[in-house]
Each structure stands twice: as structure tokens, then as C-alpha cells.
């Protein structure tokens, strides 16, 4: 896999240029603030900066493509010019294509190609890595879609269908990355079941990205008197997931706080190899 690193799990830093993302909405909507935060993550050691211009938190409303492009492109253009390695977090082919033209090198599609049938064409034409996440519907509908008989096998089979569609569209197999989609049309028990059987997804033959950062199932785990811990208090738990995912063989973790997860994956790399 051309996006891999020889010695450890990759750390993808989240850069939300949105007003309504669940844990940092509005914090980096300003261009200067977004660029400063991206450089801070990069200088700390992030391998990839993942730029997104539309919130995918449960219940969020969609924005139009022009708004999304207007948020993402100035950030991607400036950061690419500075030499940062970028992915674009989008479900729209037009946004992905514009971001690739501006210097992004990875498409991170939380819909796995389902939201826009043209995304596969863009990924195939660009010959770039494409993250296919498990997805059942847009954010406003996802909670109602969290119904499974066997969540692990169903997510695996639905991801396999997305892989087959990508391959049929001409996307090279070495450019495909899978993401089980923690929190997307999943309840907490589903998220834990998927993490418990991460080996099933690693066994599909493609790199696996794990995105657990600050998510609801961690807040619920750490609840006090029935009150979930707020997103900013979930960093230690996020780093724990990063470490375990890395030990298990995940290709990458997508996180808000890159520092703690960089430490976590460094420990995991030493653990796996038996030396520092």
C-alpha cells in the first residue's frame, strides 16, 4: 500500500472546517485558524491531515456542494503548497475531484461510494487511495438504520459489496482502504463488537482505518451517574483504542488529538516488534 508506513500505524489528524462538527464545530472554520491547527498537527508528527467541510455527526443537516467546496479548497490549496499530506473527507465526487486538483492525495468517503455514484470514477481516474467506510445513510437518518442481527458479519458483507463496486469501476485493489464506520448507523454495543472483531476486517485483505476519536460510545463507557463524559474528556480512551488498533494491525487511526495517539502507536509498534 503506497500510503503505508514501514514502522507503525499511521495517524490521521482531523481538520473540520465546519460550524457544527460534534466536538470542534466552528473552531477551525476561519482559514487562518484551520491552517494553524493543521500545521500544529503536522509538526507534532501526523502522517495525514484529513480536511472535511461537511459535518457527519448524527442528526446533522447537509450543506450544498458549493458551500463544502468553498470551505475545503482554500485549506487544501494552502496546505498542499506547504507540503502537507492531505486527505479530503467528503461523500461528493465534485468536492473530491476539486480537492485532488488542489493537492489532496487521498479520498476519505464515509459513504463508501454510496452517496455519489460518480465518486468511484473520480477515485479510479485519480489513482489515489480511497477509504471506503461502512455506511447506511446520511447523518439525519443514521440512528434509525442501526439495526443488525449480526453486526460484524453484516458490516463485513456490506463493505465487501463496496469493494466489489470499486473494483468494477476500475479502482486498483492496492488503493482501497476499509473503515468499519464506528458510530455511523451503530449503537455503542455495535461499536464495541466491531472493535472486538477487528481481525475480521483486517482479514479482508485491505488496509483498515479506525475512527473512534471522541465518539459517543467512549463517552458512554466513561459516564458518571449516567451522564456521558463530554468529547474533550475522551482523549485517553481514544488513545487506548489507537494503541490496541495498532497492535492488532490497523493501517491507520483517525483522531482529533494527534499527540496522544502518536505516543500510543509508537508504544504499539515497539510492543509488536519487541524492540524500540
Amino acid at each position: 500500500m503506497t500510503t503505508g508506513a514501514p514502522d507503525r500505524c499511521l495517524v490521521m489528524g482531523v481538520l473540520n472546517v465546519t460550524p457544527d462538527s460534534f466536538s470542534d464545530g466552528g473552531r477551525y472554520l476561519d482559514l487562518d485558524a484551520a491552517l494553524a491547527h493543521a500545521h500544529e498537527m503536522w509538526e507534532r508528527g501526523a502522517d495525514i491531515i484529513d480536511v472535511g467541510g461537511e459535518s457527519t455527526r448524527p442528526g446533522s443537516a447537509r450543506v450544498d456542494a458549493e458551500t463544502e467546496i468553498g470551505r475545503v479548497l482554500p485549506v487544501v490549496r494552502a496546505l498542499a503548497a506547504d507540503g502537507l499530506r492531505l486527505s479530503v473527507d467528503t461523500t461528493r465526487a465534485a468536492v473530491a475531484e476539486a480537492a485532488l486538483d488542489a493537492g489532496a492525495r487521498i479520498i476519505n468517503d464515509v459513504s463508501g461510494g454510496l452517496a455519489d455514484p460518480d465518486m468511484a470514477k473520480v477515485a479510479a481516474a485519480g489513482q489515489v487511495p480511497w477509504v471506503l467506510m461502512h455506511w447506511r445513510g446520511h447523518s439525519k437518518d443514521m440512528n434509525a438504520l442501526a439495526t443488525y442481527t449480526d453486526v460484524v458479519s453484516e458490516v463485513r458483507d456490506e463493505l465487501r459489496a463496496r469493494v466489489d463496486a470499486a473494483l468494477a469501476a476500475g479502482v486498483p485493489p492496492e488503493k482501497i482502504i476499509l473503515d468499519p464506520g464506528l458510530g455511523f448507523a451503530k449503537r455503542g454495543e455495535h461499536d464495541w463488537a466491531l472493535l472486538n472483531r477487528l481481525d475480521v476486517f483486517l482479514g479482508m485483505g485491505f488496509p483498515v482505518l479506525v475512527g473512534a476519536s471522541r465518539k459517543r460510545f467512549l463517552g458512554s463507557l466513561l459516564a458518571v451517574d449516567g451522564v456521558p463524559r463530554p468529547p474533550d474528556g475522551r482523549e485517553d480512551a481514544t488513545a487506548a483504542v489507537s494503541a490496541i488498533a495498532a497492535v492488532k494491525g490497523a493501517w491507520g487511526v483517525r483522531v482529533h488529538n494527534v499527540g496522544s495517539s502518536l505516543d500510543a502507536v509508537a508504544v504499539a509498534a515497539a510492543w509488536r516488534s519487541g524492540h524500540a
Side-chain angles (χ1 to χ4, degrees):
M1 161 59 64
T2 56
T3 56
D7 56 346
R8 62 164 173 80
C9 172
L10 298 181
V11 174
M12 177 185 283
V14 176
L15 181 60
N16 289 319
V17 284
T18 62
D20 56 347
S21 290
F22 79 95
S23 75
D24 58 3
R27 198 172 297 176
Y28 308 115
L29 190 58
D30 174 77
L31 178 60
D32 289 340
L35 299 182
H37 184 53
H39 278 285
E40 179 185 3
M41 291 190 288
W42 185 255
E43 288 160 13
R44 178 62 180 82
D47 300 286
I48 303 161
I49 305 299
D50 189 41
V51 183
E54 180 178 53
S55 175
T56 53
R57 64 176 174 79
S60 62
R62 301 213 70 191
V63 300
D64 57 56
E66 292 73 20
T67 298
E68 190 181 353
I69 289 173
R71 292 172 179 174
V72 166
L73 245 60
V75 176
V76 170
R77 193 175 290 119
L79 295 177
D82 288 339
L84 278 66
R85 188 183 192 185
L86 307 173
S87 58
V88 58
D89 175 5
T90 185
T91 62
R92 288 189 170 102
V95 177
E97 187 170 33
L100 294 179
D101 289 344
R105 291 292 172 262
I106 300 171
I107 300 170
N108 181 17
D109 180 359
V110 301
S111 80
L114 285 169
D116 188 335
D118 290 331
M119 186 69 88
K121 299 174 189 176
V122 172
Q127 293 289 289
V128 296
W130 183 17
V131 179
L132 300 173
M133 196 194 81
H134 177 263
W135 185 86
R136 284 185 164 182
H138 288 290
S139 298
K140 66 182 180 64
D141 302 316
M142 70 166 70
N143 287 338
L145 300 171
T147 57
Y148 302 89
T149 300
D150 181 339
V151 66
V152 174
S153 63
E154 289 173 55
V155 169
R156 177 201 60 204
D157 292 348
E158 289 170 31
L159 274 177
R160 172 55 66 182
R162 302 319 309 147
V163 169
D164 291 344
L167 295 174
V171 177
E174 66 271 16
K175 299 296 185 183
I176 293 174
I177 301 164
L178 302 181
D179 181 339
L182 302 176
F184 286 78
K186 318 283 190 313
R187 295 192 298 273
E189 62 266 30
H190 301 139
D191 295 324
W192 289 117
L194 293 169
L195 286 173
N196 178 255
R197 294 305 314 277
L198 194 62
D199 61 296
V200 169
F201 304 99
L202 293 166
M204 292 176 68
F206 299 94
V208 172
L209 176 66
V210 174
S213 185
R214 299 180 180 174
K215 288 192 173 175
R216 286 182 301 174
F217 74 103
L218 297 179
S220 297
L221 175 72
L222 304 172
V224 175
D225 296 329
V227 179
R229 186 176 294 179
D232 285 350
R234 303 170 190 171
E235 291 300 349
D236 290 344
T238 296
V241 174
S242 293
I244 297 168
V247 167
K248 295 293 186 181
W251 166 84
V253 291
R254 182 181 181 274
V255 298
H256 296 82
N257 184 327
V258 301
S260 57
S261 281
L262 281 161
D263 290 351
V265 300
V267 170
W271 191 317
R272 291 188 72 184
S273 66
H275 59 79

